[in-house]
Amino acid sequence: MASVETVKVEPSADLENEEEVKFVWGRKRGIGGKRKEVQFYESFTYDDVEYALYDCVYMHKEGQLPYIGKIIKIWENPDKSRKIKVHWFFRPSEILYHLKGVKVAVENEIFLASGEGTGLANVNPLEAIAGKCNVVCISEDNSNPQPSEEEVKMADFVFYRAFDVGKCSILDKMDDKVGGLDGMCLSSLVKYVFNRKVSQKASHVLKHASDQNGDKNAVEYQATTKESFGLKALNDLGTSKASHLDGKIDVDAQSSLVRQDALQRETNVSRVNKETTKKANSAPGEQNSHDVSRVAKAAGKLSHIVGKSDVNVQTSPVRPDANDSRVKQQSTMKGNPAPVQIVNSTATTVVQNTISEENACCKINNEKDDKKVNKPPINLVEAGETGKSPKDLGVLEDRPSKRIKVNGSVTLSEDKGVNSVEKSTVCRNEKKVLGTSAVPSEERKKSVDSKLSGGLDKNMKIRKDSAALDSRPSKKANIDARKVQEDRDKSNMLGKRADNLGKLPKVSTGTSPKEVERTEGKSFEVTRRPVAESSKWFKAPPWEEVMQTANEQGALILLENLNPEYTSGEVEDIIWHACRENCTTKMVQRTAFSSPYSGRALVAFKTREGAERVTKKLADGCLMVSNQRPLVASFVSLPKTEGNPTSLAGHLCVDKLRLQLQREMREAVSTSHCSQPNTIEYEMANEWRLLQARSDSWWNRLYKQQKEDLTKITSGLKRK
Amino acid sequence: METSDKEYVAFGEKVKRTIFIDNLSPVATEAVVKAALDQFGNVIQVKFIPNYLEPKNIGQAALVEVENADQAKTIISELSNSPFMICGMPRPVRARAAEAEMFDDRPRKPGRKIVCRWLDSSDPDFEVANKIKLTVRKQAEESKFLLKHQLEEEENLSKKQMETLNASYKKFEIIESVVSNRVATRLAERYRVRVADAEH
């Protein structure tokens, strides 16, 4: 065995002293190489964690979630450089594109690389290892020792399928073709793909002077496929639903820690015990040194990282330092010890980067913020967005409560890969909104010439009700009051009476009119309206005209809380049956941010009086449609178009080149293209997609919340 | 007009092969959108969704009907994977599957019966119904607010990017001028530094 040389390890792991990471070779395996100069090994101990052949490990990837791989070869070159050959696993997020239509079995499923081509396996410096990983094979193949339920639960990852890197497809069965190495045959499969029956590590703890110089490069992972997948993962950050690793709680972490240690067989048993207890104890402590809530989420992964950490009892901030030194080793491109600057981002150490699951990449080098995991993908930083404040990971817990909270501090909680609105800014905006609009509404109040005297009373009543209903701070009441003001103001339009333009119902049917008696409190069925005789002679003018005319007259109403599935004609029928008024209606088409359950319709009447009548009726009484939805009617005036905007926010062009652009426009060249990945434009585009994704999530949450609110109230209805 | 089941089913098919695109520039026309998406498949028709009530600067939205549902799916996934820009950069357009409610010419659902009822104040449900009405109003306000906020965010991002872009362009100009008037090469000779010929 190798000679035993003890090296005194400095207890205070200075940040600069990266040489202090302990390394010890394990059992030798054989000699190889052209001139018999390469020594193969079966195991080694790195940073007090023992690794053996066919163990699964995390491999550092700068700025991203670490890769997962299986060690299939370990050796030392004559120049003392230590290498391992790693057979890769793919996370779902790395091959999202090829997972279309494929269902991921469990959230922590990964795929074994198979087939031929780049991305199958790579040689890497041993120092690129970021930690041990517990991967359990749940393949139902006969030769696979089936793991117990416990083991599966405790595993970091499971796999039973393979991903063929050549064909870019998923293989459901583990056949002999997995991996093109070493003449794969079933026995090899058994040997290193399937679960091993006994952990055959017999490590010898040897203090061995380790030269920590040499190339401490980052993972030299050649496969461009992985790069592009990484980028794709970036794109799909906001949208991908392949969320894996919701955090296991601390309890699990500790128990898995203990279990892991139990598996490791050390000659020095007492040392194991000390380590175990220390880790178990220190785990919560160390975790507390970072953002608490985030930790709770990712404790499962944390356990492994902790497992490899420096166990020197004397060192005070144990883990961060050790890992910082790791950061410097692996993530710098140069061979020199990296400047301390990198380490400034102690909070965002490598470890934490591996923790934060949803980020496909976290910045190790570039980020200046401490204590906050950075959501935006790395290309944002490269675009020089240094001024950008870190986006909180937290999720908007309660949509309406955004109005209440004044502090911007957001505690990180369960997230689904989504940025939240920074609450402080939201509240600031909201305050601004209130502030600025308070003034005009005051003015408008004075000039109210409400024609609906009855409506005015109603509004007062509503306002009182809202004050009573709302237990929330007065901000909400203000908003209601404002809204009510606006309604009144809209009804304030001084419209002239217009002659009948002979607007006809759009739907002209030949069905015989069905007269339905309408009595208070009795329900009636809405069927086709009776058609005026003259309908056969006139052609209905287009909706735009109708709408504009009604708008000018003040005869345009907005109906809300309709079933979005209704068509325009059905709404017209409703109005007719309920109020005996003819009208022309257009259901507002749904867009990206329309409410999914409250449909809206613009209703145009021939006369303003007709509109008023209907509005009054609907406001005073309650017209329940399908016994669930009281219609809400309000006057509306279309927002004036102060000239259509000529460009959309986000369409940029360099001023100097503007002339060129104009020429293009004039020549009506349709400029459309897909963006290429290595341009500034691409990065900016990704920023936009991120914003789009965020907006989507805001809307989703808002509507979800609103729906809940509504269902709660609706359940109070007695007659269903 | 009564819609038969067949018509309704046919409409459903149409919905499946239609894509909803938004974040379109106001200057984009139907022809432009059609030309842009023709790369991916056969575009049958493009219809813009009119925006009556919302603020004007949210970008246009359009319904694009393509030949079949598969093409629609392909386009949507392509546009999700890599940013696609129409009529302006770098803000990409966003595509998703269309829904029936997006169409303004949708047929009625056959067999749907609408029942209405007037409530007066003596009705036990009157209070609750009023509450619902209030809530609906309130929620409409919330939506408006969120939309406003979204637009502000977009403006901010746009401004930031504009700055970055200008800065980059300035840098680029400097480099270009230095290279073109051979100052760079002369400096390189002076300092004995190799200047790579950056031919892009």
Side-chain angles (χ1 to χ4, degrees):
Chain A
M1 289 298 132
S3 61
V4 177
E5 294 170 307
T6 47
V7 169
K8 209 193 309 196
V9 176
E10 287 304 317
S12 58
D14 226 15
L15 296 171
E16 264 75 43
N17 290 352
E18 50 193 313
E19 285 78 6
E20 304 310 330
V21 180
K22 300 193 287 230
F23 179 84
V24 172
W25 277 122
R27 201 215 298 251
K28 287 196 181 163
R29 209 173 186 227
I31 305 277
K34 288 206 195 102
R35 287 176 228 99
K36 305 286 184 200
E37 77 283 17
V38 174
Q39 171 67 61
F40 291 102
Y41 290 92
E42 251 184 36
S43 61
F44 59 90
T45 306
Y46 184 48
D47 204 23
D48 289 316
V49 177
E50 199 195 330
Y51 300 87
L53 261 188
Y54 312 132
D55 274 350
C56 291
V57 290
Y58 292 110
M59 299 293 285
H60 275 298
K61 171 63 186 165
E62 173 163 340
Q64 287 186 29
L65 283 174
Y67 293 130
I68 307 163
K70 196 186 256 282
I71 305 177
I72 53 179
K73 243 192 226 168
I74 311 171
W75 71 94
E76 187 184 43
N77 284 325
D79 64 353
K80 296 287 183 223
S81 61
R82 308 178 207 113
K83 304 281 187 190
I84 51 169
K85 189 164 187 186
V86 181
H87 186 120
W88 297 113
F89 287 97
F90 288 102
R91 299 178 192 260
S93 59
E94 298 177 62
I95 48 170
L96 261 181
Y97 189 73
H98 304 285
L99 279 181
K100 300 267 168 68
V102 174
K103 222 169 153 276
V104 171
V106 285
E107 45 152 358
N108 57 351
E109 182 186 1
I110 54 179
F111 300 87
L112 182 67
S114 70
E116 292 170 8
T118 42
L120 185 69
N122 281 100
V123 174
N124 279 304
L126 187 144
E127 290 75 15
I129 291 182
K132 217 162 167 179
C133 181
N134 184 8
V135 180
V136 169
C137 179
I138 55 176
S139 162
E140 312 227 320
D141 193 298
N142 290 330
S143 349
N144 182 31
Q146 292 298 307
S148 66
E149 246 189 69
E150 267 285 296
E151 287 174 353
V152 173
K153 244 197 303 177
M154 293 303 197
D156 288 328
F157 298 100
V158 295
F159 79 97
Y160 67 101
R161 296 191 271 190
F163 177 76
D164 187 316
V165 295
K167 305 191 195 105
C168 288
S169 56
I170 303 288
L171 299 165
D172 281 321
K173 271 172 25 107
M174 301 289 239
D175 59 1
D176 299 347
K177 291 287 175 291
V178 171
L181 311 161
D182 299 328
M184 285 298 303
C185 58
L186 194 56
S187 59
S188 320
L189 262 183
V190 171
K191 196 165 44 156
Y192 82 68
V193 170
F194 294 141
N195 299 323
R196 272 164 286 149
K197 296 206 179 75
V198 172
S199 55
Q200 69 277 50
K201 292 158 276 195
S203 72
H204 302 262
V205 180
L206 301 162
K207 305 268 188 210
H208 182 82
S210 55
D211 294 350
Q212 296 288 334
N213 58 354
D215 48 341
K216 307 225 171 23
N217 305 323
V219 174
E220 38 180 274
Y221 187 44
Q222 317 264 319
T224 49
T225 48
K226 277 220 169 173
E227 296 282 332
S228 61
F229 289 140
L231 275 176
K232 284 214 177 75
L234 283 183
N235 292 343
D236 299 329
L237 239 192
T239 53
S240 87
K241 304 275 190 294
S243 62
H244 37 107
L245 277 213
D246 290 335
K248 302 193 190 145
I249 49 178
D250 281 359
V251 175
D252 279 355
Q254 291 186 14
S255 55
S256 63
L257 252 182
V258 172
R259 182 174 144 267
Q260 255 203 327
D261 292 340
L263 281 181
Q264 291 178 12
R265 283 196 273 120
E266 303 257 351
T267 52
N268 195 346
V269 178
S270 60
R271 185 149 174 260
V272 173
N273 288 341
K274 192 169 79 161
E275 280 185 27
T276 314
T277 45
K278 168 156 205 312
K279 282 174 204 165
N281 292 338
S282 64
E286 289 167 352
Q287 289 170 359
N288 285 336
S289 72
H290 304 272
D291 270 338
V292 176
S293 44
R294 185 161 11 118
V295 153
K297 188 166 67 93
K301 279 227 161 164
L302 194 54
S303 62
H304 304 284
I305 314 305
V306 171
K308 76 164 168 45
S309 72
D310 202 336
V311 192
N312 252 311
V313 188
Q314 293 91 350
T315 60
S316 35
V318 172
R319 200 158 48 75
D321 286 348
N323 288 333
D324 290 339
S325 61
R326 187 67 38 77
V327 167
K328 287 194 295 172
Q329 282 175 21
Q330 269 90 29
S331 59
T332 53
M333 287 311 188
K334 316 178 210 141
N336 310 321
V340 186
Q341 167 215 348
I342 290 180
V343 184
N344 277 342
S345 56
T346 47
T348 55
T349 58
V350 173
V351 174
Q352 293 197 331
N353 291 338
T354 65
I355 293 173
S356 54
E357 265 303 294
E358 300 305 326
N359 305 359
C361 65
C362 303
K363 296 181 269 289
I364 303 179
N365 300 330
N366 309 336
E367 210 31 61
K368 296 169 184 39
D369 355 327
D370 318 330
K371 309 272 183 286
K372 291 208 172 106
V373 178
N374 305 293
K375 264 303 171 170
I378 203 168
N379 42 32
L380 271 183
V381 173
E382 288 162 11
E385 303 271 333
T386 53
K388 220 180 214 172
S389 57
K391 301 208 169 26
D392 292 344
L393 244 193
V395 157
L396 219 52
E397 287 111 354
D398 183 22
R399 268 270 112 194
S401 69
K402 75 183 183 221
R403 305 170 186 224
I404 303 175
K405 283 226 184 113
V406 180
N407 280 334
S409 63
V410 179
T411 54
L412 301 172
S413 53
E414 171 88 55
D415 70 291
K416 301 266 180 246
V418 154
N419 268 330
S420 76
V421 177
E422 286 201 48
K423 286 195 180 170
S424 51
T425 53
V426 170
C427 294
R428 257 185 277 130
N429 289 343
E430 215 245 25
K431 285 200 188 127
K432 260 190 271 172
V433 164
L434 282 179
T436 52
S437 61
V439 176
S441 72
E442 288 301 311
E443 294 173 344
R444 277 189 286 164
K445 207 194 273 190
K446 300 212 182 87
S447 65
V448 159
D449 176 22
S450 173
K451 296 220 170 124
L452 297 176
S453 52
L456 182 57
D457 293 341
K458 181 67 178 178
N459 287 341
M460 300 295 286
K461 179 159 176 267
I462 290 178
R463 205 188 319 180
K464 251 193 281 166
D465 284 347
S466 77
L469 279 179
D470 261 336
S471 54
R472 290 198 179 127
S474 58
K475 284 186 195 164
K476 281 259 178 72
N478 283 347
I479 290 184
D480 285 333
R482 247 185 338 115
K483 165 74 175 167
V484 166
Q485 291 288 354
E486 287 172 26
D487 290 345
R488 247 188 292 145
D489 298 331
K490 282 167 193 161
S491 70
N492 192 22
M493 285 183 31
L494 308 166
K496 297 202 178 73
R497 281 175 183 247
D499 301 329
N500 278 349
L501 294 182
K503 297 192 196 43
L504 303 159
K506 263 204 194 149
V507 177
S508 38
T509 65
T511 56
S512 55
K514 282 198 198 152
E515 293 290 332
V516 178
E517 284 307 313
R518 191 206 83 193
T519 34
E520 294 294 327
K522 272 232 308 238
S523 54
F524 50 92
E525 186 180 320
V526 171
T527 53
R528 296 290 175 275
R529 242 171 338 183
V531 170
E533 288 171 8
S534 47
S535 70
K536 303 226 172 59
W537 304 345
F538 289 93
K539 275 204 305 201
W543 164 251
E544 298 275 330
E545 266 186 50
V546 171
M547 187 179 65
Q548 286 299 335
T549 330
N551 189 23
E552 288 155 24
Q553 288 185 290
L556 196 61
I557 294 188
L558 178 68
L559 272 186
E560 289 172 295
N561 202 17
L562 289 161
N563 186 336
E565 289 178 18
Y566 289 172
T567 63
S568 312
E570 283 169 327
V571 179
E572 289 171 8
D573 294 343
I574 294 177
I575 298 285
W576 191 86
H577 278 284
C579 315
R580 288 285 186 276
E581 294 278 348
N582 270 323
C583 62
T584 326
T585 312
K586 180 96 166 82
M587 280 288 282
V588 174
Q589 289 159 259
R590 179 189 287 190
T591 54
F593 37 80
S594 316
S595 168
Y597 51 83
S598 165
R600 305 197 294 176
L602 284 169
V603 184
F605 291 90
K606 289 181 229 154
T607 63
R608 189 180 160 77
E609 283 74 21
E612 285 175 21
R613 273 198 295 271
V614 173
T615 323
K616 185 161 187 314
K617 255 210 198 126
L618 286 172
D620 289 340
C622 277
L623 178 65
M624 297 290 275
V625 178
S626 301
N627 279 337
Q628 292 276 15
R629 295 169 172 268
L631 285 191
V632 177
S634 54
F635 275 99
V636 72
S637 69
L638 303 177
K640 289 202 185 45
T641 58
E642 302 124 9
N644 281 323
T646 46
S647 71
L648 185 62
H651 282 177
L652 312 170
C653 71
V654 180
D655 284 325
K656 307 245 176 80
L657 303 177
R658 208 179 275 274
L659 290 170
Q660 288 179 20
L661 211 63
Q662 282 172 356
R663 211 182 322 129
E664 265 183 27
M665 285 285 154
R666 256 181 281 127
E667 290 163 11
V669 168
S670 117
T671 54
S672 74
H673 63 282
C674 254
S675 181
Q676 294 307 313
N678 55 2
T679 58
I680 299 183
E681 167 196 73
Y682 186 75
E683 293 164 7
M684 292 186 172
N686 279 333
E687 289 172 27
W688 278 106
R689 314 195 104 239
L690 188 65
L691 184 57
Q692 286 167 350
R694 280 170 63 205
S695 316
D696 274 343
S697 72
W698 299 339
W699 289 107
N700 283 340
R701 304 196 78 248
L702 177 67
Y703 286 133
K704 202 162 121 209
Q705 181 70 38
Q706 289 184 344
K707 180 156 194 175
E708 283 171 21
D709 289 342
L710 263 186
T711 27
K712 240 192 287 186
I713 302 184
T714 315
S715 58
L717 284 175
K718 302 211 184 49
R719 240 194 281 194
K720 295 263 173 82
Chain B
M1 87 203 108
E2 296 285 348
T3 38
S4 63
D5 282 329
K6 210 160 58 140
E7 277 180 31
Y8 198 70
V9 166
F11 177 69
E13 295 293 314
K14 178 166 156 187
V15 171
K16 282 210 200 99
R17 58 172 191 266
T18 311
I19 307 169
F20 170 79
I21 295 198
D22 67 346
N23 280 269
L24 276 170
S25 158
V27 301
T29 66
E30 275 142 359
V32 165
V33 175
K34 185 170 191 304
L37 292 182
D38 263 337
Q39 308 171 37
F40 299 101
N42 203 2
V43 174
I44 302 184
Q45 76 160 334
V46 174
K47 261 210 311 212
F48 280 96
I49 296 185
N51 169 22
Y52 297 127
L53 294 169
E54 317 292 351
K56 289 295 171 203
N57 55 346
I58 51 173
Q60 293 201 83
L63 288 171
V64 179
E65 187 185 343
V66 292
E67 204 176 328
N68 56 45
D70 281 335
Q71 279 188 16
K73 263 201 223 116
T74 318
I75 297 185
I76 293 174
S77 64
E78 283 295 330
L79 259 53
S80 314
N81 281 338
S82 47
F84 188 68
M85 294 150 205
I86 301 183
C87 266
M89 27 191 198
R91 182 165 177 178
V93 300
R94 185 170 55 165
R96 58 164 90 159
E99 293 155 28
E101 293 82 6
M102 296 176 178
F103 292 78
D104 67 338
D105 54 353
R106 60 182 181 273
R108 300 181 189 220
K109 191 162 167 184
R112 171 153 66 203
K113 278 228 216 93
I114 309 177
V115 176
C116 296
R117 190 161 62 91
W118 279 106
L119 295 181
D120 62 357
S121 14
S122 59
D123 194 297
D125 284 338
F126 191 70
E127 271 296 315
V128 182
N130 265 340
K131 244 199 243 180
I132 299 182
K133 279 161 91 174
L134 265 179
T135 318
V136 165
R137 278 224 167 98
K138 192 175 69 169
Q139 291 179 347
E141 276 299 302
E142 286 175 7
S143 303
K144 242 203 270 182
F145 176 75
L146 181 58
L147 185 61
K148 197 152 152 293
H149 178 85
Q150 178 183 323
L151 287 174
E152 279 173 17
E153 285 280 317
E154 290 172 1
E155 285 286 319
N156 284 344
L157 182 59
S158 174
K159 280 203 199 86
K160 260 197 216 138
Q161 287 190 341
M162 194 69 204
E163 287 171 16
T164 317
L165 177 63
N166 282 335
S168 306
Y169 190 71
K170 277 208 194 83
K171 279 191 220 159
F172 170 69
E173 278 191 323
I174 293 179
I175 295 181
E176 211 187 4
S177 65
V178 157
V179 165
S180 61
N181 58 15
R182 314 218 12 115
V183 169
T185 19
R186 276 194 284 135
L187 280 175
E189 283 167 30
R190 174 55 90 94
Y191 288 112
R192 314 241 172 83
V193 168
R194 292 196 59 194
V195 171
D197 245 339
E199 303 285 356
H200 291 289

